[in-house]
Amino acid sequence: MTINREAMKALPIQGYLDYKGIDYTTEHNRLRLVDHDSCIINTDKNVFFWNSKQLSGDLGDFISAYEDVTPKEAWVRWSDYKNYYDNQDEQAQDKYKQKSATNNYQFNWKRWRTSQSTNNTENYLVNERGFDKTFVQRLTASDFIKQGKPRQDRQTKEWQKPAVLFPWHDEKGEVVGLDQQGTEIDYEKYGKRGTQKKVAAGSDSNYGYNFHTGNGADQLLVFESPIDALSYAQQHFPELAHENATFLSLSGTDHQKVLSQLDRMNQLNGHLPNKLVLATDNDLAGFKAADQFSVLQFEGMENIRQVPTKGKDWNDQLKANDPGIKTMTMKESHKRLEALETFSNQAKQPSNKSMQVKDEKQVVNAKPGRLAREQRRTDRKSKSREKNEEIIKDALQRVKNYQNDPKEVQNYLDFVAQGQNYSPRNTMLIYGQRQDATIVKGYKQFAEQGIQVNKGEQGMKIYGAPKNLQSIITPDGKQVYWRDATAEQRQQAKTGDLEMRSIKHYPIQTVFDIKQTNASLDDLPKLLPNRPVNLSTDQSDEQLQTVYDTLKEYATEQQHVKVIDQDKGAMKFLADHKPMTSNGIAKGATVINRKDPEDRSIVLRPDLPVTDRIATLAHEMGHTALHQQSDANTSTAEKELQAEMTSYVVLKNIGVEPGDISEKYMSDWTKSLEKVADMKDRNPNLMADVTKASTSITNYLSDRLSDGQTITNERRAAPNIQPTAVQMATNQAIQDQAQEETRGRTR
């Protein structure tokens, strides 16, 4: 009998989960196992990915991995399921057919039907929510609020009043999503909230309902809903009108939106806001959402918690006509959270000594001893997390302190120039814990290369890739993590009676340096990243020109800046608009059109040799990345210092070794650091900003160059590392190990 393997592979993994009674949650076109939340099934491709175990494959591979059986036994179970599936009727099988059109739906504001009338919106917001009528009229006139069309309920067929629409605007003013606030009040159908409340399908999850006063650059205020944000704004508008504040609604408690907004503000304004105000609800879910930022603090930005003094949320406060605000530190907020959690756990605790835990399949007794062990495990995890967070905090503070010493600055920038394959924040964390690090990987990553971490080694703590933690939204709007949910809540979530959401959590991971392993020199070539070009050994015209052209491409494609380097009028322009230097006319300048700030150019002298063109272009690209808009809190001296540091990292990355250029940079840094040392409002993110800007540029070079040659699509598919490059990298690594005082250069 011939085995039809294609038919076996086509069997739906989701169907097998239902067949075996394996619990899972649904996230668009993905399923996530409840008991192993790092195991994800892509229903479009009918494959699974088990991230924590680094496993993936088809249904057969899944059975082998999940049920821990041999491939032979997995095949038997796979075949049994095929017999079961083939005997199902067509309707039962249709349940698992792909619905790619639904899964890939993209939000399109133009397709939304809105009403010219705003009467229903005004009546609801004024009469039910307590807003001032004039305030609402201003919002509708400026399109910050729209009124939808009446719609027919699919179940009851009754016509419902039009919803209030809260459009989400991106930085270009385009609508990329929206909140829908129902105005039909029905407590029996919608629970304690009384109305339907949801996010439009396909909305860009990086955004939320937002608006700002002034230029919005100095504060970011975070709320759980548009109604809360507007309630707060109405009550405190007189004082906020004179401040630069951005309001953001999470449409729940998804803190990832805050991180995305902070990143946009940093790019738009050239700096993070001075203050992050977590104004989520005054309940357990609100404090949990705010607590995410007890760890994720950034230099120069103060995180504070604000809650209303009346009611659960800011709309309760508005309706009570009480403008009171209770402000607390994040530490105080965390203590309040612990108290709320203790109270909540006590409320859930059964009166009898053994707890009956029920689900669809079994009834088990949870003995007091087992509960105590689970509590001890939870306590150990909590203490471990607190200890790791303290390590991370200390490491970031050390890097911050380095920026006052030119020599320490140079050491740190040499480290950044190595091109570690980590985010700017993790790069700072690694250096803050181990300055001599060269090749950094996780325990499993080293093991995959046949390399063992030495016993007893103390690893470095960094942030790992975010994980989605499943939660259930209760009828009163509270968020309950899946692990804390009752069996009844889980069942309601499966049937769709309760909303499911996921929040991003950044786990703390441990990494090690190559010197903490048993790696030999023979292992180094396969570990060392490819240096894009090494100008210390090859300064041919062709090499230099390729590097310059790639930098120019980055400026044009990534920064959207025109590079003018062959204009004969550039000399006169620079002479007229830039101060003379000790070497005469300035080598270059960044020019911004006052009428159109998006129209930016980098002007370079046409007579520069290619080496100077590379250095000058890198310097101006630093300005473009860090100082796109005028920032009164950043002095000219600081801006020049950051641009010089960015240029230094780029040059070191492509192989310009210490010498005259190093002495020049050290001299410039010393003078600049002396100028900014006593400034009251000096930029606390000076080093972090440089790290982010320079890493972006060097990563671009690495992605497109290999030994000075542009990487084509064919070479990307089949990279060919030249023996000379391997030998060069190996020799460099030998020098690094022989001289501990030398910073490791792995590119």
Side-chain angles (χ1 to χ4, degrees):
M1 175 179 173
T2 303
I3 298 175
N4 188 340
R5 294 186 178 274
E6 290 303 315
M8 293 288 283
K9 287 179 177 291
L11 291 173
I13 300 179
Q14 182 179 8
Y16 186 81
L17 298 181
D18 293 338
Y19 167 69
K20 298 289 286 188
I22 301 172
D23 290 338
Y24 59 86
T25 59
T26 303
E27 305 170 3
H28 300 295
N29 65 332
R30 301 191 308 172
L31 311 176
R32 186 185 296 272
L33 300 194
V34 172
D35 55 351
H36 298 285
D37 63 2
S38 69
C39 185
I40 298 170
I41 290 86
N42 184 317
T43 54
D44 283 348
K45 298 181 179 179
N46 197 35
V47 294
F48 83 99
F49 301 91
W50 199 330
N51 297 322
S52 64
K53 293 188 176 184
Q54 298 293 303
L55 297 173
S56 62
D58 57 24
L59 176 54
D61 299 317
F62 172 80
I63 296 172
S64 180
Y66 182 82
E67 301 182 19
D68 194 22
V69 296
T70 64
K72 185 176 181 180
E73 177 60 27
W75 180 265
V76 173
R77 301 183 185 190
W78 195 0
S79 300
D80 289 342
Y81 170 62
K82 186 177 188 304
N83 293 332
Y84 167 83
Y85 182 81
D86 288 345
N87 289 324
Q88 298 296 300
D89 57 35
E90 187 174 342
Q91 184 178 2
Q93 294 182 2
D94 284 345
K95 174 182 176 182
Y96 304 111
K97 291 184 178 180
Q98 298 176 10
K99 298 180 177 61
S100 58
T102 302
N103 293 335
N104 297 327
Y105 176 78
Q106 296 293 320
F107 178 87
N108 185 349
W109 176 235
K110 294 179 180 179
R111 296 177 61 182
W112 280 78
R113 298 175 62 216
T114 58
S115 174
Q116 295 296 321
S117 171
T118 59
N119 291 337
N120 187 74
T121 293
E122 289 181 16
N123 289 336
Y124 174 78
L125 293 178
V126 173
N127 299 327
E128 299 295 334
R129 293 295 193 165
F131 283 94
D132 178 78
K133 186 174 183 178
T134 302
F135 183 69
V136 174
Q137 288 174 342
R138 289 177 179 174
L139 290 170
T140 54
S142 57
D143 288 338
F144 278 99
I145 295 178
K146 301 291 288 186
Q147 180 171 303
K149 291 280 189 178
R151 69 179 187 87
Q152 192 176 29
D153 189 289
R154 293 182 179 178
Q155 297 178 348
T156 66
K157 303 302 180 182
E158 296 176 352
W159 283 92
Q160 296 183 333
K161 295 179 181 179
V164 183
L165 308 181
F166 298 92
W168 303 355
H169 294 90
D170 65 11
E171 54 272 25
K172 298 179 181 178
E174 299 293 330
V175 179
V176 295
L178 61 82
D179 286 89
Q180 292 175 265
Q181 173 63 62
T183 58
E184 191 80 30
I185 300 174
D186 186 339
Y187 290 98
E188 182 178 348
K189 183 175 183 179
Y190 300 117
K192 292 182 180 180
R193 184 184 293 133
T195 57
Q196 188 179 41
K197 182 179 176 182
K198 61 181 180 180
V199 172
S203 295
D204 189 334
S205 60
N206 290 312
Y207 292 85
Y209 182 69
N210 65 90
F211 55 94
H212 60 79
T213 60
N215 63 18
D218 297 333
Q219 291 188 55
L220 176 60
L221 297 94
V222 179
F223 304 84
E224 287 189 30
S225 72
I227 293 287
D228 287 335
L230 292 172
S231 298
Y232 185 104
Q234 178 177 306
Q235 286 200 300
H236 303 285
F237 190 80
E239 57 263 36
L240 290 169
H242 303 290
E243 299 183 18
N244 299 318
T246 295
F247 292 71
L248 174 68
S249 165
L250 302 181
S251 302
T253 55
D254 183 3
H255 80 287
Q256 181 63 31
K257 291 180 188 288
V258 182
L259 300 178
S260 298
Q261 181 65 33
L262 287 172
D263 185 59
R264 287 192 293 273
M265 293 175 73
N266 191 29
Q267 293 182 31
L268 288 170
N269 306 313
H271 63 89
L272 289 169
N274 302 324
K275 186 181 294 184
L276 172 62
V277 181
L278 286 311
T280 47
D281 290 354
N282 189 9
D283 60 10
L284 180 59
F287 276 87
K288 282 185 176 181
D291 200 55
Q292 304 280 353
F293 296 89
S294 295
V295 179
L296 299 177
Q297 296 182 356
F298 299 91
E299 296 177 11
M301 185 177 72
E302 179 187 10
N303 292 5
I304 64 171
R305 181 84 167 97
Q306 287 188 352
V307 294
T309 56
K310 292 283 187 181
K312 178 176 76 75
D313 57 38
W314 299 100
N315 190 241
D316 289 343
Q317 180 104 327
L318 177 68
K319 289 186 286 188
N321 196 28
D322 185 341
I325 296 176
K326 180 176 176 57
T327 301
M328 60 186 78
T329 65
M330 296 307 295
K331 187 174 182 180
E332 291 170 338
S333 178
H334 182 72
K335 288 183 178 179
R336 175 64 176 155
L337 171 62
E338 290 179 331
L340 289 171
E341 286 180 325
T342 300
F343 178 81
S344 177
N345 291 333
Q346 289 174 347
K348 295 177 183 177
Q349 196 72 21
S351 57
N352 58 325
K353 292 186 178 180
S354 66
M355 181 184 297
Q356 297 296 318
V357 183
K358 297 183 178 181
D359 61 18
E360 303 165 88
K361 305 173 200 173
Q362 58 184 354
V363 178
V364 296
N365 288 321
K367 304 295 184 183
R370 176 184 171 187
L371 294 173
R373 287 194 299 273
E374 291 178 349
Q375 184 60 45
R376 286 196 296 272
R377 279 198 297 270
T378 301
D379 291 343
R380 284 197 298 270
K381 287 182 178 180
S382 177
K383 289 180 180 179
S384 175
R385 175 85 185 186
E386 290 176 2
K387 181 180 178 181
N388 291 338
E389 287 169 353
E390 192 63 31
I391 292 173
I392 283 177
K393 182 179 178 181
D394 290 343
L396 290 175
Q397 185 60 45
R398 279 195 291 274
V399 175
K400 178 181 178 181
N401 294 338
Y402 294 152
Q403 70 184 38
N404 298 316
D405 183 342
K407 185 59 181 175
E408 288 290 357
V409 168
Q410 183 183 26
N411 291 339
Y412 172 70
L413 295 181
D414 285 348
F415 176 80
V416 175
Q418 291 180 133
Q420 296 283 353
N421 190 24
Y422 290 97
S423 68
R425 180 175 62 177
N426 280 341
T427 298
M428 296 178 72
L429 285 174
I430 292 169
Y431 187 77
Q433 296 170 77
R434 193 180 182 103
Q435 295 184 24
D436 65 342
T438 53
I439 302 173
V440 178
K441 295 180 181 293
Y443 184 93
K444 289 183 179 179
Q445 290 175 303
F446 275 125
E448 289 171 356
Q449 300 286 347
I451 298 170
Q452 186 69 40
V453 174
N454 299 329
K455 188 176 181 180
E457 289 287 352
Q458 185 71 35
M460 295 165 281
K461 305 300 179 183
I462 65 172
Y463 286 113
K467 294 183 177 180
N468 288 322
L469 295 184
Q470 293 303 310
S471 60
I472 299 171
I473 308 302
T474 61
D476 59 356
K478 293 182 179 180
Q479 177 178 283
V480 179
Y481 288 120
W482 183 270
R483 62 173 180 261
D484 300 329
T486 64
E488 181 183 3
Q489 288 173 328
R490 293 186 181 188
Q491 182 59 33
Q492 289 177 317
K494 291 177 184 177
T495 58
D497 294 331
L498 287 181
E499 180 186 355
M500 286 288 298
R501 284 189 194 158
S502 64
I503 64 170
K504 289 192 181 297
H505 167 70
Y506 287 81
I508 296 177
Q509 297 182 344
T510 303
V511 291
F512 300 88
D513 181 56
I514 186 70
K515 290 183 280 296
Q516 297 177 280
T517 71
N518 65 352
S520 65
L521 291 177
D522 293 337
D523 295 316
L524 293 177
K526 63 184 178 183
L527 296 173
L528 289 165
N530 294 329
R531 184 192 290 269
V533 63
N534 188 9
L535 299 184
S536 63
T537 59
D538 182 0
Q539 290 199 12
S540 67
D541 292 340
E542 183 181 0
Q543 285 268 46
L544 293 169
Q545 189 61 45
T546 301
V547 172
Y548 175 74
D549 290 341
T550 307
L551 281 175
K552 187 175 177 180
E553 179 184 301
Y554 176 91
T556 303
E557 294 185 358
Q558 302 297 313
Q559 298 184 326
H560 308 293
V561 177
K562 296 189 291 288
V563 178
I564 302 171
D565 54 6
Q566 298 298 323
D567 194 318
K568 294 181 180 180
M571 292 288 282
K572 185 177 186 307
F573 175 85
L574 292 170
D576 292 342
H577 294 86
K578 294 285 286 185
M580 296 287 285
T581 68
S582 57
N583 296 318
I585 297 174
K587 295 180 180 180
T590 299
V591 182
I592 301 177
N593 187 335
R594 292 182 181 179
K595 295 182 179 180
D596 182 8
E598 296 298 318
D599 181 10
R600 295 168 294 159
S601 303
I602 293 176
V603 179
L604 303 178
R605 282 170 46 174
D607 63 335
L608 292 178
V610 67
T611 48
D612 280 0
R613 266 191 287 150
I614 291 173
T616 307
L617 179 56
H619 175 100
E620 298 304 332
M621 287 165 63
H623 277 307
T624 303
L626 297 168
H627 315 127
Q628 294 183 21
Q629 296 184 6
S630 177
D631 180 3
N633 293 327
T634 304
S635 67
T636 300
E638 285 179 290
K639 292 179 180 179
E640 287 300 316
L641 178 61
Q642 288 184 310
E644 285 288 278
M645 290 178 176
T646 302
S647 175
Y648 178 85
V649 171
V650 172
L651 292 175
K652 290 283 286 188
N653 178 257
I654 60 178
V656 175
E657 299 300 329
D660 293 340
I661 191 168
S662 180
E663 294 175 6
K664 172 190 177 298
Y665 276 109
M666 285 285 287
S667 174
D668 290 344
W669 294 344
T670 302
K671 294 175 183 177
S672 297
L673 287 171
E674 289 174 352
K675 289 181 182 178
V676 303
D678 298 326
M679 288 183 179
K680 181 180 179 180
D681 297 324
R682 68 176 302 186
N683 179 13
N685 301 309
L686 189 147
M687 298 301 293
D689 291 344
V690 170
T691 304
K692 183 175 181 179
S694 58
T695 299
S696 176
I697 297 172
T698 56
N699 283 348
Y700 189 89
L701 288 173
S702 298
D703 287 345
R704 285 156 180 78
L705 293 175
S706 177
D707 303 324
Q709 302 176 26
T710 303
I711 298 177
T712 62
N713 290 332
E714 290 76 11
R715 295 186 65 216
R716 286 178 188 273
N720 179 23
I721 303 175
Q722 299 297 324
T724 53
V726 174
Q727 186 61 50
M728 174 193 71
T730 305
N731 292 340
Q732 183 65 57
I734 295 173
Q735 295 174 21
D736 290 342
Q737 288 193 335
Q739 301 178 11
E740 290 186 358
E741 67 276 11
T742 303
R743 294 289 174 258
R745 300 190 49 77
T746 60
R747 281 187 184 258

